[in-house]
């Protein structure tokens, strides 16, 4: 007698450097994972784009691999799909849903400076902050829509819909046109964070002619898999699909960091911080958003690079494996032999908010090694985390628990450096694969009961070393001095690079 397949859920995340998929059992067991690597396009200085066709093609490839494994090897059947993706991104399509140009990515794309200045004049900077919770920055989607309207007017005249990676996958799977509230709240100034809805007067001013999507919460069902999507992906037709959200918020859900006072640190291509707060908080150098779940609010920050810097160094060093570089960095010891790095190789998002910031390595001598440079990169990102934490607390955030997630938590050294630099304990859960696992959790909650504590218990607590923290206090003071001391020079160099 044939065995009845056990239920499983699929979670997929579209990231900056790869798309990741996980097949997860009903108790949270990771049955299989898969990755598809990709690159972004940089057609001009400050421009970072991606062809949305890659998002769907990689989803189809991941879904086919993981559903085949479920059926052929695991004796399972996928019963729901959860989605997430980098963001906020701007993908504009025509009325038929055909993309008009590559998607403009989140805060790593810094093209919208002139549009930010214009919208602040026209709408009022203080009024934007009052209504939207945050000011305009390179992270906000609204000025990027305005950039397309200003710079590509003939193309923009045909724009009718706005998508992000997760909502683009929802469209392909279900045919639905929806967006989650959290992603919408990063579309400043189009979304009213107090009313938690699109603000029609500003939406019409910034995105005339664009029909903004109906809004749902991240864990709500956007629809069900269509027969055509089932044929393409191998997924069963009729199973529910979550509305989805931006990757960092899905990562926070994956490790249970969504209670008031929780702070999630996402160790990825960029370093991202999501702090769940009890009420709307506004800060000039941070992003105030609604949370991924109803009734929650967040204060967030993000560095423009973190893992991207370590990857860059790995390539410069001739591509040794990361384990070797971590061993060399461990040997270097705290302070990296007297090196100090500003990790602003792609500008900086928060709390510096300077798209023309640049990387600086101070203190180099002929005696410094690859291990020293790699350690300085890890320590530089840790100093950036501390800077963001101080900004979060200055804004009124009360940080209780710190939870680490993402690929950078593997190996242990980076998380230990961050704890030593910040003086804060970090919690690491058993599964730290990230946003795709958070998407799977939301999918499981669509079709049954799934608790993050049962799915993903705490595996480790990274406790700071007081002696190391005291040593890092001195270096952190120098780190804070280095940016203003070097800003004039690096801004001049940034202008030279833009020529």
């Amino acid at each position: 007698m044939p065995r009845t397949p056990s239920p499983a859920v699929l979670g997929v995340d579209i990231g900056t450097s790869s798309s990741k998929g996980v097949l997860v059992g009903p108790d949270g067991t990771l049955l299989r994972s898969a990755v598809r690597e990709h690159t972004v396009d940089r057609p001009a200085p400050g421009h970072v784009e991606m062809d949305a066709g890659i998002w769907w093609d990689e989803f189809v490839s991941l879904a086919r691999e993981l559903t085949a494994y479920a059926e052929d090897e695991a004796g399972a059947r996928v019963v729901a799909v959860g989605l997430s993706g980098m963001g906020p991104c701007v993908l504009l399509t025509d009325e038929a849903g055909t993309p008009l140009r590559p998607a403009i990515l989140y805060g790593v794309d810094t093209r919208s400076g002139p549009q930010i200045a214009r919208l602040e004049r026209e709408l009022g900077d203080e009024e934007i902050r009052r209504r939207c919770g945050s000011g305009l920055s390179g992270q906000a989607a609204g000025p990027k829509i305005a950039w397309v309207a200003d710079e590509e007017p003939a193309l923009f005249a045909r724009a009718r819909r706005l998508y992000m990676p997760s909502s683009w996958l929802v469209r392909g799977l279900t045919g639905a046109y929806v967006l989650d509230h959290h992603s919408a709240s990063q579309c400043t100034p189009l979304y009213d964070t107090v009313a938690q809805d699109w603000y029609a007067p500003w939406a019409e001013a910034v995105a005339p002619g664009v029909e903004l999507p109906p809004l749902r919460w991240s864990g709500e069902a956007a629809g069900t898999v269509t027969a055509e999507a089932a044929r393409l992906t191998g997924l069963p037709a009729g199973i529910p699909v979550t509305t989805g959200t931006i990757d960092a918020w899905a990562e926070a859900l994956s490790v249970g960091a969504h209670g008031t006072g929780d702070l999630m640190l996402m160790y990825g291509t960029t370093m991202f911080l999501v702090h769940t707060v009890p009420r709307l908080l506004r800060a000039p150098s941070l992003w105030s958003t609604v949370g991924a779940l109803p009734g929650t609010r967040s204060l967030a920050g993000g560095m423009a690079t973190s893992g991207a810097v370590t990857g860059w160094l790995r390539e410069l060093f001739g591509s040794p494996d990361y384990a070797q570089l971590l061993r060399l960095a461990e040997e270097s010891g705290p302070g990296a032999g007297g090196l100090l790095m500003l990790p602003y190789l792609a500008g900086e998002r928060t709390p510096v908010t300077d798209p023309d910031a640049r990387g600086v390595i101070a203190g180099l001598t002929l005696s410094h090694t690859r291990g020293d440079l790699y350690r300085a990169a890890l320590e530089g990102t840790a100093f950036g985390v501390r800077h963001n934490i101080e900004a979060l607390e200055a804004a009124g955030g009360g940080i209780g628990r710190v939870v680490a997630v993402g690929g950078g938590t593997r190996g242990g050294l980076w998380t230990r450096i961050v704890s030593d630099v910040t003086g804060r304990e970090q919690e690491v859960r058993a599964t730290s694969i990230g946003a795709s696992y958070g998407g799977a959790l939301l999918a499981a909650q669509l079709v049954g009961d799934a608790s993050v504590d049962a799915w993903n218990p705490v595996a480790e607590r990274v406790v700071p070393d007081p002696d190391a923290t005291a040593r890092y206090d001195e270096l952190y003071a120098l780190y804070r001095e280095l940016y203003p001391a070097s800003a004039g020079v690096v801004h001049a160099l940034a202008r030279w690079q833009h020529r």
Side-chain angles (χ1 to χ4, degrees):
M1 183 173 178
R3 185 177 66 170
T4 302
S6 61
V9 291
L10 178 70
V12 174
D13 174 67
I14 306 297
T16 308
S17 56
S18 66
S19 297
K20 304 178 186 70
V22 293
L23 181 71
V24 183
D27 61 353
T29 300
L30 181 63
L31 302 176
R32 191 173 182 85
S33 64
V35 177
R36 301 291 184 269
E37 294 186 351
H38 53 240
T39 58
V40 298
D41 295 322
R42 300 180 185 273
H47 293 210
V48 186
E49 302 181 346
M50 196 169 178
D51 178 359
I54 295 172
W55 304 343
W56 177 246
D57 290 346
E58 291 186 347
F59 176 86
V60 169
S61 175
L62 290 166
R64 294 193 73 84
E65 176 181 337
L66 294 172
T67 53
Y69 178 84
E71 295 168 0
D72 299 339
E73 304 291 336
R77 180 181 186 273
V78 176
V79 296
V81 181
L83 304 170
S84 65
M86 57 186 165
C89 300
V90 172
L91 173 65
L92 295 172
T93 76
D94 63 14
E95 195 166 0
T98 303
L100 297 172
R101 66 176 325 283
I104 300 174
L105 300 195
Y106 55 100
V108 295
D109 183 286
T110 58
R111 74 182 70 192
S112 59
Q115 287 71 36
I116 290 172
R118 174 171 61 79
L119 291 172
E120 285 176 341
R121 290 193 305 271
E122 293 176 354
L123 306 180
D125 180 41
E126 287 304 314
E127 180 61 14
I128 292 171
R129 293 177 186 277
R130 186 193 69 79
R131 185 175 296 280
C132 304
S134 300
L136 295 177
S137 70
Q139 179 76 357
K144 294 176 183 183
I145 298 171
W147 182 92
V148 179
D150 290 346
E151 300 295 328
E152 300 171 347
L155 179 151
F156 186 77
R158 296 187 287 130
R160 294 295 179 269
R161 289 191 168 184
L162 168 68
Y163 290 93
M164 295 190 192
S166 59
S167 64
W168 185 243
L169 298 185
V170 164
R171 175 188 181 275
L173 286 169
T174 72
Y177 179 47
V178 297
L179 188 67
D180 67 289
H181 278 276
H182 169 71
S183 297
S185 72
Q186 294 213 44
C187 289
T188 310
L190 308 183
Y191 182 90
D192 185 328
T193 194
V194 177
Q196 297 190 353
D197 201 357
W198 299 116
Y199 183 55
W202 287 357
E204 180 59 29
V206 176
V210 177
E211 173 200 352
L212 295 176
L215 297 172
R216 296 182 186 172
W217 292 100
S218 305
E220 291 186 282
T224 58
V225 174
T226 65
E228 175 62 11
R231 183 185 69 80
L232 292 171
T233 64
L235 291 165
I239 63 172
V241 178
T242 68
T243 298
T245 191
I246 289 174
D247 52 7
W249 277 258
E251 294 224 25
L253 293 170
S254 79
V255 291
H258 53 77
T260 299
D262 289 348
L263 173 66
M264 181 212 68
L265 296 182
M266 184 181 82
Y267 292 74
T269 304
T270 68
M271 181 73 77
F272 210 89
L273 304 89
V274 177
H275 179 35
T276 304
V277 294
R279 64 188 187 284
L280 173 62
L281 296 178
R282 298 178 175 88
S285 61
L286 299 167
W287 306 314
S288 180
T289 72
V290 298
L293 302 179
T296 61
R297 291 190 179 273
S298 303
L299 199 57
M303 299 170 65
T305 61
S306 58
V309 178
T310 62
W312 170 74
L313 283 172
R314 178 172 174 262
E315 291 299 316
L316 286 183
F317 295 157
S319 301
D321 63 44
Y322 283 114
Q324 179 186 354
L325 288 172
L326 286 170
R327 285 195 302 271
L328 294 172
E330 180 83 65
E331 293 169 5
S332 173
L339 286 184
L340 189 60
M341 177 184 286
L342 296 182
Y344 306 155
L345 277 71
E348 188 53 303
R349 294 195 281 170
T350 68
V352 172
T353 63
D354 182 359
D356 288 328
R358 293 293 182 266
V360 174
I361 303 175
L364 272 172
T365 71
L366 294 173
S367 65
H368 282 112
T369 66
R370 291 187 302 174
D372 295 328
L373 283 165
Y374 199 75
R375 177 115 191 180
L378 299 181
E379 291 179 346
T381 57
F383 293 138
V385 169
R386 179 168 169 176
H387 195 184
N388 273 282
I389 285 175
E390 290 177 353
L392 288 167
E393 293 191 321
I399 297 171
R401 191 170 57 125
V402 180
V403 187
V405 66
T409 61
R410 293 192 292 270
L413 178 60
W414 202 355
T415 50
R416 181 154 35 94
I417 289 172
V418 169
S419 279
D420 288 344
V421 165
T422 62
R424 294 175 185 269
E425 179 180 303
Q426 294 176 84
E427 181 182 288
V428 181
R429 297 268 177 157
T431 299
S432 191
I433 199 168
S436 55
Y437 193 75
L441 175 65
L442 288 179
Q445 290 172 345
L446 271 181
V447 293
D449 295 326
S451 159
V452 68
D453 289 327
W455 265 45
N456 197 10
V458 176
E460 179 189 5
R461 297 188 187 278
V462 185
V463 180
D465 176 350
D467 291 337
T469 300
R471 295 180 67 185
Y472 279 129
D473 284 345
E474 181 181 354
L475 285 171
Y476 179 66
L478 296 175
Y479 172 88
R480 292 294 301 272
E481 289 179 22
L482 186 55
Y483 167 70
S486 61
V489 172
V490 299
H491 286 165
L493 292 172
R495 290 191 295 270
W496 190 85
Q497 293 162 1
H498 286 309
R499 290 176 184 172

